[in-house]
Amino acid sequence: AAGVIQSPRHLIKEKRETATLKCYPIPRHDTVYWYQQGPGQDPQFLISFYEKMQSDKGSIPDRFSAQQFSDYHSELNMSSLELGDSALYFCASSYPILRGLGETQYFGPGTRLLVL
Amino acid sequence: RKEVEQDPGPFNVPEGATVAFNCTYSNSASQSFFWYRQDCRKEPKLLMSVYSSGNEDGRFTAQLNRASQYISLLIRDSKLSDSATYLCVVGGYGGSQGNLIFGKGTKLSVKP
């Protein structure tokens, strides 16, 4: 079965640079979520989109922005990178079978970002 | 206080053992509950959703007690391949019904 696709899988950047992470949801899933998992930490919710509109916002820094496109893929744009941004960034997608009751989310393999 | 709390372990058990994990959540308005497993440096993978009536999938049984705000996972006949970190996950509430809140995970190591 098709899964969530994320690219790139690994990324190395310098401080103050920018990075763009991409996420392609499972076909027919129209909701995308972004999570950040620091070393030894649990995943923290950043932001989500439903039908190309931002649906929820978590602990996403102002330096980050994201959007969902007409084909439902999403991009997370990160600017002025800091050492503390080094983490695994997961994208998850879901199909809203029952909106508002916590749709099951399926995670992509993640992008490992290292900021030097 | 963290919204979802789990015993971090590690739980070191022999093959064939039965092991139980517990989890508590703080917000009574939470509406959905899951167990995910995460292998080292990999993505969380859905193990099972958890319902008030309890649900079973092969060797895995999950229970939800809304009154006590308590979730459990029972693994019977442990296999070496069960070694992983088990994440207790709660679906958001109120206006944040989509995002997931993760516990810090319980590490399981199954030994031969």
Side-chain angles (χ1 to χ4, degrees):
Chain A
V4 177
I5 297 172
Q6 290 188 247
S7 68
R9 294 292 307 278
H10 302 273
L11 191 58
I12 300 175
K13 290 286 185 179
E14 302 265 341
K15 279 195 308 184
R16 292 179 288 277
E17 284 191 318
T18 61
T20 296
L21 310 187
K22 297 185 179 182
C23 168
Y24 297 85
I26 292 171
R28 295 185 294 136
H29 282 196
D30 60 4
T31 306
V32 170
Y33 312 80
W34 286 97
Y35 292 84
Q36 178 192 58
Q37 186 173 24
Q41 301 296 312
D42 50 289
Q44 295 292 316
F45 171 72
L46 294 179
I47 195 167
S48 62
F49 293 87
Y50 166 62
E51 284 291 344
K52 292 152 283 187
M53 300 279 291
Q54 179 182 309
S55 55
D56 197 7
K57 193 171 181 179
S59 52
I60 185 169
D62 292 340
R63 300 177 288 108
F64 294 7
S65 65
Q67 56 182 322
Q68 185 180 33
F69 295 86
S70 57
D71 64 350
Y72 297 111
H73 94 272
S74 178
E75 295 184 2
L76 177 66
N77 300 294
M78 311 160 72
S79 62
S80 303
L81 286 169
E82 301 174 356
L83 297 179
D85 296 329
S86 295
L88 256 176
Y89 290 83
F90 290 112
C91 172
S93 73
S94 71
Y95 181 67
I97 297 170
L98 294 170
R99 282 241 40 103
L101 293 182
E103 303 85 357
T104 300
Q105 296 181 25
Y106 297 89
F107 283 74
T111 294
R112 187 171 295 278
L113 172 66
L114 178 61
V115 181
L116 302 175
Chain B
R1 182 185 167 205
K2 192 157 170 53
E3 292 182 73
V4 179
E5 300 222 33
Q6 298 180 246
D7 180 345
F11 284 56
N12 297 307
V13 303
E15 270 187 292
T18 295
V19 61
F21 302 140
N22 303 316
C23 163
T24 57
Y25 60 96
S26 61
N27 194 305
S28 59
S30 301
Q31 297 191 21
S32 55
F33 310 89
F34 309 91
W35 283 100
Y36 280 77
R37 70 169 278 169
Q38 187 172 29
D39 295 281
C40 188
R41 301 167 77 85
K42 303 272 191 179
E43 74 273 24
K45 290 189 175 174
L46 179 68
L47 185 62
M48 56 201 309
S49 302
V50 189
Y51 307 109
S52 296
S53 55
N55 47 308
E56 186 174 316
D57 183 3
R59 299 180 293 108
F60 300 86
T61 301
Q63 289 278 351
L64 167 66
N65 184 320
R66 282 189 182 268
S68 304
Q69 294 177 210
Y70 172 94
I71 308 163
S72 65
L73 176 69
L74 184 75
I75 305 176
R76 291 180 298 279
D77 189 21
S78 300
K79 310 290 185 193
L80 296 177
S81 58
D82 294 333
S83 298
T85 295
Y86 289 82
L87 300 165
C88 177
V89 184
V90 175
Y93 39 81
S96 301
Q97 292 177 339
N99 75 77
L100 299 178
I101 302 166
F102 287 78
K104 288 205 172 292
T106 299
K107 188 169 183 180
L108 172 66
S109 181
V110 182
K111 306 291 187 185

